[in-house]
Amino acid sequence: DHIVRVVASGFDAALGVDFFVMDAVLVTQEAIETLCRDVLRCAPPADAGDGPRAVSLADLLAGGKTLGEAETVRILREQLGAVAAAHAHTPAVVHRDIKPSNILLDGDGHSWLTDFGIAKTDGDPALSVTGFMPLTRSYASPEQLRGIAPVTFKTDYYSLGLVAFRMLTGGLQGAAAATIPADLEKTLSRKWNPLFKGLLADDPDAR
């Protein structure tokens, strides 16, 4: 389902915080360089020099880098599947903070959704962090930014649309969705327009 699994959780009494233990998605520098050269067709991130590490989509896209159409489609399909799996859970889970840094890549180029730290379940009005709205504004949906309820799995679709736009173009216009379809006419082939107009619809019911 392309979601990083939580394998244990608990409460650290000394620190006074809840914690989660998750599966590690780690790759070596050699593996990521091979992946970028042979699969993703992108420039690899700089060598951190500290052995196997987590590599996110944000690392690959740093500095305005892009991915090809085929690679974007594959990652988008995997992440749409992850959102669908989370929503199929009982109760349904909405991630609410999908962005490139929360999508990890393994050595085979598969993508894994992680960091459900501000996720919520359908029907639960409470935030996981109270007193403010924790989100990444440049990948947030219109209903998140406006504080309009309910926030559903279609919020995650919107964020994935922005991530895909970022992968293809190296640019991002945040929640200014009304301007994105027009820009697609200039930067992408027309075949992408229906997809983005669907994922980035202002009205969640139109996604």
Side-chain angles (χ1 to χ4, degrees):
D1 54 16
H2 292 277
I3 296 175
V4 178
R5 294 185 310 130
V6 175
V7 295
S9 62
F11 179 76
D12 188 315
L15 296 177
V17 296
D18 294 306
F19 68 86
F20 298 92
V21 179
M22 308 181 75
D23 278 342
V25 180
L26 303 176
V27 294
T28 63
Q29 182 66 20
E30 180 181 6
I32 198 63
E33 288 178 357
T34 300
L35 173 66
C36 287
R37 183 185 68 242
D38 298 340
V39 179
L40 298 178
R41 314 295 187 195
C42 65
D47 189 349
D50 54 0
R53 68 190 193 278
V55 173
S56 72
L57 186 56
D59 295 324
L60 300 185
L61 299 176
K65 298 172 186 173
T66 61
L67 299 183
E69 291 192 359
E71 292 72 33
T72 296
V73 167
R74 182 171 54 78
I75 291 174
L76 181 60
R77 282 178 173 170
E78 291 176 344
Q79 293 308 300
L80 287 170
V83 168
H87 187 254
H89 189 272
T90 304
V93 176
V94 183
H95 188 286
R96 301 198 307 150
D97 195 29
I98 294 178
K99 55 188 176 183
S101 60
N102 283 341
I103 298 174
L104 302 181
L105 281 298
D106 66 20
D108 295 318
H110 295 298
S111 60
W112 299 87
L113 183 60
T114 188
D115 195 355
F116 282 74
I118 69 166
K120 64 173 291 186
T121 57
D122 274 357
D124 179 5
L127 295 174
S128 59
V129 179
T130 59
F132 65 99
M133 183 179 293
L135 51 78
T136 304
R137 295 186 65 85
S138 57
Y139 289 94
S141 67
E143 59 270 24
Q144 285 177 292
L145 294 174
R146 296 169 188 159
I148 298 174
V151 172
T152 71
F153 71 99
K154 292 186 177 181
T155 289
D156 291 340
Y157 282 171
Y158 188 95
S159 298
L160 280 174
L162 292 175
V163 170
F165 185 82
R166 173 72 181 80
M167 286 191 283
L168 284 169
T169 69
L172 180 68
Q173 300 188 36
T179 65
I180 290 178
D183 283 352
L184 289 175
E185 297 281 355
K186 302 174 183 177
T187 58
L188 299 173
S189 59
R190 288 180 178 269
K191 67 183 178 182
W192 287 96
N193 286 1
L195 173 70
F196 282 104
K197 287 180 179 179
L199 288 177
L200 299 175
D202 189 75
D203 181 358
D205 291 335
R207 292 175 203 152

